[in-house]
Amino acid sequence: MPNSNRGMFSRGSGTITVIEEPVMRSYRRKAKIVFYLTWVIVGVLAATVAASKWHPVIALLVGLAAGLITGAIAGAIVAAWPILRAIWWWIPETALTGGLIYGWIELAQHTTLLYRLAAVVLIVGIPVAIKPVRTGLHQVTWCMITRHRIRTCFSEFIITNRTGSLPLILWARPTPVGERVWIWLRPGLSLDDLLDRLDKIAVACWASNAIAEAASRSNAAFIRMDIKRREVLTGTITSPLLDLIRSGAPATERDTKTIPTALDLPQVPASDVLTPPTPLKRTDHPKMPAPASPPAPAAGNGSDLSDWI
């Protein structure tokens, strides 16, 4: 029952708000519209098809019944969409908790206390003892946390539409630097709205940086967000070449000559100043050959002088 005291998880009314009331009213209104439209459309189509085999009155009743059932299903889905979306947000945690409870019940019904304790030791001890398993669990845990933190960002400080509905956070997977989350935006949001608030998103996700970009070339509502928690390029990498150097090898003597550290020209000897290289001359294009001289005219007596040249 609501009370006037402010609890830890309440908003002044003594209740925990999972879905906002404006969102529920909006989807109930949409559900009524979908119900009536589906009822009319499916009813007319079903009655038309049934009239070819049955009496028109019977076909009309069959069409109305088919439209009523189909419209009720479509309206129920639309009205329950905020609840289905909330279930989707918590489905990893719900599946994990349900699996652990169901597994413990099955284990308790078929084994003794000693076997149950051994199973608990294995479930807890393997991640602690094996580093790859421990690292994988740590990354999966951060993926689940990041999904809820991004949802909190959309709910608290990112611009919302008139009804206050939140985007659909699809999935998250680990990356070498953090987590990558895919988001389906709703009407009223765009990628530019997120780019202006990446610093706040990084703070809300307890990360060092956040990057958002489009995940599809044909749909601007489908975006991808990278949450960075560490920099992999700044890590120290050991080189195997150091193991190839013998322990008794002498160290290389370094030149102790003083090297100028600033552009102070008096400190640089004149002999060290290199003269600029002589620019290369551009090669001239080859000359065109002279045109051939015209043939000599023929002699007056009819002989050809070219035969004597």
Side-chain angles (χ1 to χ4, degrees), residues 58-205:
I58 299 177
L60 180 61
L61 295 177
V62 171
L64 291 177
L68 180 62
I69 296 174
T70 308
I73 295 174
I77 294 176
V78 174
W81 174 247
I83 301 174
L84 296 177
R85 185 173 53 188
I87 293 175
W88 171 258
W89 288 339
W90 292 94
I91 193 171
E93 293 81 358
T94 305
L96 180 61
T97 305
L100 291 177
I101 295 175
Y102 178 78
W104 178 260
I105 294 174
E106 290 294 326
L107 195 64
Q109 292 179 354
H110 298 86
T111 58
T112 59
L113 179 60
L114 182 61
Y115 288 101
R116 292 197 294 271
L117 294 177
V120 172
V121 170
L122 290 176
I123 294 174
V124 177
I126 290 178
V128 174
I130 303 176
K131 185 177 180 180
V133 178
R134 183 172 66 252
T135 303
L137 291 177
H138 182 264
Q139 293 175 345
V140 171
T141 302
W142 270 114
C143 287
M144 293 188 292
I145 294 175
T146 301
R147 292 177 73 246
H148 294 295
R149 299 306 301 171
I150 292 178
R151 179 174 58 85
T152 303
C153 294
F154 285 111
S155 177
E156 294 297 333
F157 59 84
I158 297 180
I159 185 172
T160 59
N161 55 9
R162 184 171 57 88
T163 59
S165 60
L166 300 179
L168 184 61
I169 302 174
L170 299 176
W171 195 246
R173 71 171 182 86
T175 61
V177 297
E179 301 84 37
R180 175 170 292 178
V181 186
W182 284 268
I183 304 172
W184 190 277
L185 298 179
R186 44 159 179 74
L189 271 181
S190 64
L191 181 60
D192 294 335
D193 296 329
L194 301 183
L195 295 178
D196 296 337
R197 297 170 173 83
L198 290 178
D199 52 348
K200 297 181 180 180
I201 294 176
V203 172
C205 295

Side-chain angles (χ1 to χ4, degrees), residues 19 40 46 72 78 88 127 132 134 184-185 200 229 243 245 257 268 288:
I19 303 173
V40 173
V78 174
W88 171 258
R134 183 172 66 252
W184 190 277
L185 298 179
K200 297 181 180 180
R229 304 187 182 278
D243 299 334
I245 302 176
K257 183 180 178 180
V268 181
M288 299 297 293

Side-chain angles (χ1 to χ4, degrees), residues 237-262:
I237 302 176
T238 58
S239 175
L241 299 178
L242 298 177
D243 299 334
L244 303 178
I245 302 176
R246 293 177 297 179
S247 59
T252 304
E253 296 182 359
R254 300 182 180 274
D255 189 7
T256 58
K257 183 180 178 180
T258 304
I259 301 175
T261 58

